[in-house]
Each structure stands twice: as structure tokens, then as C-alpha cells.
């Protein structure tokens, strides 16, 4: 047990704890009008505002954010910027087999466009196309990864020796290598997009929580925006469209971060290509190196709180952070002397189909994109474009997708919701320790196309 390693870790988000954090913009004061009002200043909202100005430069765009841009999931995530729009290839293939080729293509184009935007606006967010390894840590993972390697273009299966030559963990039995994934510094990306929006003339008001939407007006405590169109980008937070509230649940994902590794420590684990890594379990870990050679380590225990409660206190869970630290040392026993400096958590918007869904209200004048689950760093840009397609009645490759037109099944109301989520999580954990065998509950959910993920 290495819990001393966590004793001095600060309860702060490493990425947000950065002197590059911009000073907040003034809150909304009084009444104003706009062509487009965007509610929410995470990636979804920022991409929507930015893409609106790129696609329709004449639009007057206002963005309202309750806290500061990037302060929620967008500023505290793992920074894995993946091409998948469907929370992984397997999920997309299972749900939309006829569209998977188009979804993969659009995902690759989306990722390339993110890289191009970062370059064009010179966003200093350590964007690197390092690729990603999905590692097998149990024999049944090998079969699953081999199956995916056979079906999917551009990925490569590594045997145990090849996987350990990339990153040296005694737990690895093999890996799937996907060279397309980029890693990014999440808060820096959000702040860069915010800066780009301001440069293009978007009016951003931070500390401006929208408390009411009436017709095409949105109001905060201190002001109102009357807009031609509204884009809702509020992710896991309660939607201003009440009918959407059963379609996602807020789930907490927790993270720990080490001190910088010395050269000796780095040499002990290899990792020269600095790929993002996740394991192939149902309850998986994800981890990566930072610019200054720390290891960010997260995942494994997605936490749901009864009644879909959101509370900053849920970002700190001693026993979960300790469990994550123990798993870290199992993966990298060579790093037994390493200490953790930061621990935090954040909330994701899980949907029963694990990827974003889209739609409109108020005769097409209000659009929403939510439900990214734990894979929204790249997919939010696609979601932003879909919202603009819908708001401005554009017929595109995106809007023709069933993936875009179909809605997920809602979660049941409480107390069934909580019981179902806990049973699902327990069953996923059991499958992980029983050679991947899915019990009757998981098989039933699979048949219905339902589930719980992060
Ligand atoms: C710990 C963690 C790790 C993750 N790791 C990854 C990863 O490695 N790769 C990946 O692809 N995804 C990851 N994700 C998911 C990813 O971060 C999200 O999918 C993505 O950031 C969603 O962006 P968003 O803009 O939709 O949501 P958010 O970033 O949550 O933004 C929503 C914003 O809306 C604001 N808001 C809400 N209600 C209102 C209101 N009424 N008025 C005004 N503003 C409002 C909020 O303050 C918030 O800033 C992770 C998430 C977490 C929490």
C-alpha cells in the first residue's frame, strides 16, 4: 500500500492551476439582443460560438457562462483528443453499422480541423498527435482488441513484447495502437478557443448563469439576451429544456497527478512516444504524460449520486483517489517512490448511448448537443457544427446521419435510475474479473442498446 504517496496531494485541478488563466470577462448587465446566444462556455459552447463566426461572420454572437470558460469538464479532463464521435469504434459499429465508415471519416476530419484551428490561432496547448494505446491487462482483452484491429483501418495490434517495448508495465499482455489520437492540455485549449472567439467578435459574459429561458430570451440575475437563435451547451448541468433532463445523468470521474518524473524514473517505464493510454476493461483507467513529465491517472470508478446531484464536494473522494493510487503502483511498480501532487474530479454527461445526441426546440430556433459521456474533447466540435446545421437549416453530411437524427432512450426516474446504474456498474466490474463474461443484466441492456459508461 502506497497511500503516503497521496498524503500531500492538493485538492486542485492541475490544468486550471495555471498562470495563463485569463481574467474573467464582465458579467451580463441589463438587456441586450443577439443573432445567436450560446449558453455554456465549455468546448461545446466555445466551438459553437467560434464556428458560428467562421461559418456566418455577420452574426452577432453572445456567449453566457455561469462560472468561467473551461472551468467544468473542459478544463479538467484527460486531454485525450480522439477521432471517434461515438465514444469508441465498437460503440459506433454496434449502433450504426451502416454509417460507421462515414462516422469514422467525419471524426478524422473533425480532429484534423481541431489541429488546424489550434495552429491558426496559435493556441499554446501542447497539441501533439502522439497516438493512443489501448492495453490488454486480461487475456479476454486480447481477443477484443484483435477483433477491433481486424475491422478498423489505421490501427495496429501489438503483442506483449511490442506493447512493453512502448511502455514497460508488467500488467500489459498486448495493446492496440491508434496513431490518430492527439493529446492536448485541456484548460489551455478552452482558453485558446475563448481567445479566438473574442478575436472574432463574440461577446463573452462569464459569471453569468442563465436561470431562465422564455421563448427566445435567456436571463441571468443581472441581464437578458433576446436572441434570434439559442444554442444550449450546458453538458451535465440541468438543461434549460426540462424535457432533456432524463436523457443524461451527471457522473463524476476522478483523477490523480504525480510529481514530474526524473530521467531515471522515465527510463524505467520507457514511454518514449508519449502516447495516451487506457486499458480495455469495462471500468478502465486512462493515463498520459504532461508537458513536464508528470503522469495524469484517472478513470475506473464513475460515481453517480442519487437524484442526479451535482456538488463540488463530490470531486474529492479519499477512498477513490487512494484506490486509483494503488492501481497506479500495480501498473508501474518501478515508480514506487513517486508522489502525487494533485487530485480532482469532474462531471460528465452520460447518455444511454454513450455519445452525444442533438435536437431542436421552439420551431428549430433552439438547439442542443449533449450526452458526450467521457469522450467530448474532440466530439464537441462536431456537436457544435451539428447545432449550427440545425439552427440554420443546413442539409449536410452530418444532419443526414441516423446518429444525428436519433435520440437515446432516457434514464428511468429515481429511485429506479440509481438502482439500475449501481447494478450496471457492479455487473461491469464483475465482468472485468470474470473473463469479460456479461451477466444477464448486461446482456439484456446490450440487446436493448442501453448501458452506462464514462
Ligand atoms: C475528469 C474528466 C476526464 C475526462 N477526460 C476526457 C478525455 O481524456 N477525452 C475526452 O474526449 N473527454 C474527456 N472528458 C469529457 C470531456 O471533458 C467533456 O465531454 C467535454 O469537456 C464536454 O464539453 P462541454 O462544453 O459540453 O461541457 P462543459 O465543459 O461541462 O461545459 C458546460 C459549461 O456550461 C456551463 N453552464 C451550465 N449551465 C449553465 C447555465 N444555466 N448558464 C450558463 N452556463 C451554464 C457550465 O458552467 C460549464 O462551463 C473528461 C471529463 C472529465 C470530467
Amino acid at each position: 500500500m502506497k497511500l503516503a504517496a497521496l498524503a500531500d496531494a492538493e485538492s486542485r485541478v492541475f490544468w486550471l492551476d495555471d498562470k495563463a488563466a485569463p481574467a474573467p470577462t464582465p458579467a451580463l448587465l441589463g438587456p441586450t439582443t443577439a443573432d445567436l446566444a450560446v449558453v455554456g462556455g465549455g468546448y461545446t459552447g466555445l466551438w459553437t460560438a467560434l464556428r458560428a463566426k467562421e461559418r456566418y461572420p455577420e452574426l452577432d454572437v453572445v456567449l453566457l457562462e455561469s462560472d468561467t470558460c473551461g472551468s467544468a469538464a473542459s478544463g479538467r479532463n484527460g486531454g485525450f483528443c480522439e477521432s471517434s464521435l461515438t465514444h469508441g469504434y465498437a460503440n459506433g459499429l454496434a449502433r450504426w453499422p451502416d454509417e460507421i465508415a462515414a462516422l469514422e471519416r467525419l471524426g478524422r476530419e473533425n480532429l484534423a480541423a481541431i489541429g488546424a484551428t489550434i495552429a491558426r490561432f496559435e493556441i499554446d496547448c501542447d497539441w501533439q498527435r502522439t497516438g493512443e494505446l489501448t492495453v490488454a491487462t486480461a487475456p479476454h482483452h486480447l481477443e477484443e482488441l484483435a477483433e477491433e484491429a481486424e475491422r478498423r483501418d489505421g490501427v495496429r495490434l501489438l503483442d506483449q513484447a511490442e506493447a512493453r517495448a512502448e511502455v514497460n508495465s508488467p500488467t500489459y499482455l498486448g495493446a492496440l495502437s491508434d496513431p490518430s489520437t492527439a493529446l492536448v492540455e485541456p484548460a489551455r485549449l478552452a482558453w485558446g478557443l475563448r481567445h479566438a472567439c473574442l478575436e472574432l467578435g463574440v461577446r463573452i459574459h462569464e459569471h453569468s448563469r442563465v436561470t431562465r429561458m422564455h421563448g427566445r430570451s435567456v436571463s441571468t440575475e443581472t441581464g437578458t439576451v433576446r436572441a434570434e437563435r439559442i444554442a444550449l451547451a450546458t453538458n451535465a448541468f440541468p438543461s434549460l429544456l426540462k424535457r432533456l433532463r432524463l436523457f443524461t445523468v451527471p457522473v463524476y470521474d476522478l483523477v490523480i497527478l504525480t510529481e514530474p518524473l526524473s530521467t531515471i524514473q522515465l527510463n524505467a517505464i520507457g514511454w518514449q512516444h508519449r502516447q495516451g493510454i487506457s486499458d480495455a476493461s469495462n471500468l478502465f483507467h486512462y493515463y498520459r504524460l504532461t508537458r513536464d513529465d508528470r503522469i495524469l491517472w484517472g478513470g475506473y470508478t464513475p460515481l453517480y449520486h442519487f437524484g442526479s446531484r451535482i456538488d463540488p464536494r463530490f470531486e474529492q473522494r479519499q477512498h477513490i483517489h487512494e484506490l486509483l493510487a494503488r492501481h497506479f503502483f500495480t501498473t508501474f511498480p518501478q515508480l514506487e517512490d513517486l508522489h502525487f501532487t494533485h487530485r480532482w474530479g469532474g462531471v460528465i454527461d452520460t447518455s444511454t448511448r454513450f455519445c452525444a445526441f442533438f435536437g431542436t426546440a421552439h420551431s428549430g430556433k433552439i438547439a442542443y448537443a449533449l450526452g458526450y459521456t467521457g469522450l467530448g474533447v474532440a466530439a464537441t466540435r462536431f456537436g457544435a457544427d451539428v447545432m449550427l446545421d440545425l439552427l440554420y437549416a443546413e442539409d449536410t453530411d452530418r444532419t443526414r446521419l441516423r446518429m444525428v437524427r436519433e435520440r437515446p432512450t432516457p434514464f428511468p426516474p429515481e429511485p429506479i435510475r440509481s438502482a439500475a446504474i449501481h447494478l450496471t456498474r457492479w455487473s461491469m466490474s464483475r465482468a472485468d474479473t470474470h473473463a469479460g463474461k456479461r451477466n444477464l443484466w448486461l446482456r439484456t441492456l446490450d440487446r436493448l442498446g442501453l448501458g452506462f459508461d464514462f
Side-chain angles (χ1 to χ4, degrees), residues 55-275:
R55 287 171 60 166
Y56 317 108
E58 70 287 356
L59 287 187
D60 178 22
V61 181
V62 171
L63 184 150
L64 303 174
E65 161 56 46
S66 340
D67 193 316
T68 52
C69 290
S71 56
S74 299
R76 54 182 67 217
N77 61 69
F80 286 56
C81 204
E82 296 190 17
S83 61
S84 176
L85 303 173
T86 55
H87 200 271
Y89 178 82
N91 188 44
L93 179 70
R95 293 179 190 280
W96 302 286
D98 51 323
E99 289 186 342
I100 191 69
L103 286 164
E104 290 277 289
R105 175 180 58 78
L106 289 167
R108 283 192 297 271
E109 287 170 9
N110 181 58
L111 190 61
I114 293 174
T117 304
I118 288 170
R120 185 152 35 92
F121 289 99
E122 298 178 354
I123 299 175
D124 176 14
C125 61
D126 200 27
W127 160 270
Q128 289 191 42
R129 297 294 287 259
T130 58
E132 181 175 357
L133 294 175
T134 306
V135 295
T137 54
H140 67 276
H141 295 160
L142 288 171
E143 256 168 62
E144 292 163 19
L145 295 183
E147 224 172 85
E148 181 163 340
E150 212 160 276
R151 289 208 163 116
R152 210 177 137 198
D153 291 337
V155 295
R156 194 165 75 86
L157 198 63
L158 309 185
D159 66 20
Q160 185 175 51
E162 288 171 318
R164 290 191 190 177
E166 288 295 333
V167 184
N168 184 15
S169 167
T171 62
Y172 295 174
L173 305 178
L176 188 75
S177 168
D178 175 357
S180 70
T181 299
L183 290 183
V184 73
E185 292 176 338
R188 290 276 187 108
L189 173 60
W191 296 333
L193 294 174
R194 173 187 181 277
H195 186 74
C197 284
L198 291 170
E199 248 182 44
L200 296 189
V202 175
R203 290 180 283 148
I204 296 181
H205 296 287
E206 294 175 302
H207 298 297
S208 299
R209 186 162 78 89
V210 175
T211 50
R212 190 162 165 245
M213 185 165 69
H214 38 108
R216 272 178 277 147
S217 292
V218 280
S219 299
T220 67
E221 274 182 7
T222 53
T224 295
V225 182
R226 202 180 146 65
E228 286 302 313
R229 289 173 174 78
I230 298 173
L232 298 178
T234 55
N235 195 35
F237 299 89
S239 179
L240 292 163
L241 283 172
K242 285 211 174 68
R243 76 180 98 128
L244 295 181
R245 292 188 184 177
L246 284 181
F247 283 89
T248 62
V249 292
V251 170
Y252 280 81
D253 183 12
L254 302 195
V255 178
I256 50 179
L257 183 100
T258 72
E259 61 192 327
L261 272 67
S262 66
T263 311
I264 294 172
Q265 287 167 327
L266 268 178
N267 287 342
I269 56 169
W271 213 343
Q272 281 171 9
H273 298 118
R274 306 180 75 85
Q275 304 95 327

Side-chain angles (χ1 to χ4, degrees), residues 421-442:
I421 289 172
H422 287 117
L423 175 60
T424 310
R425 222 188 61 178
W426 176 82
S427 303
M428 288 161 73
S429 169
R430 195 170 182 283
D432 282 336
T433 52
H434 287 71
K437 286 203 184 73
R438 297 174 80 75
N439 64 13
L440 182 63
W441 174 249
L442 289 183

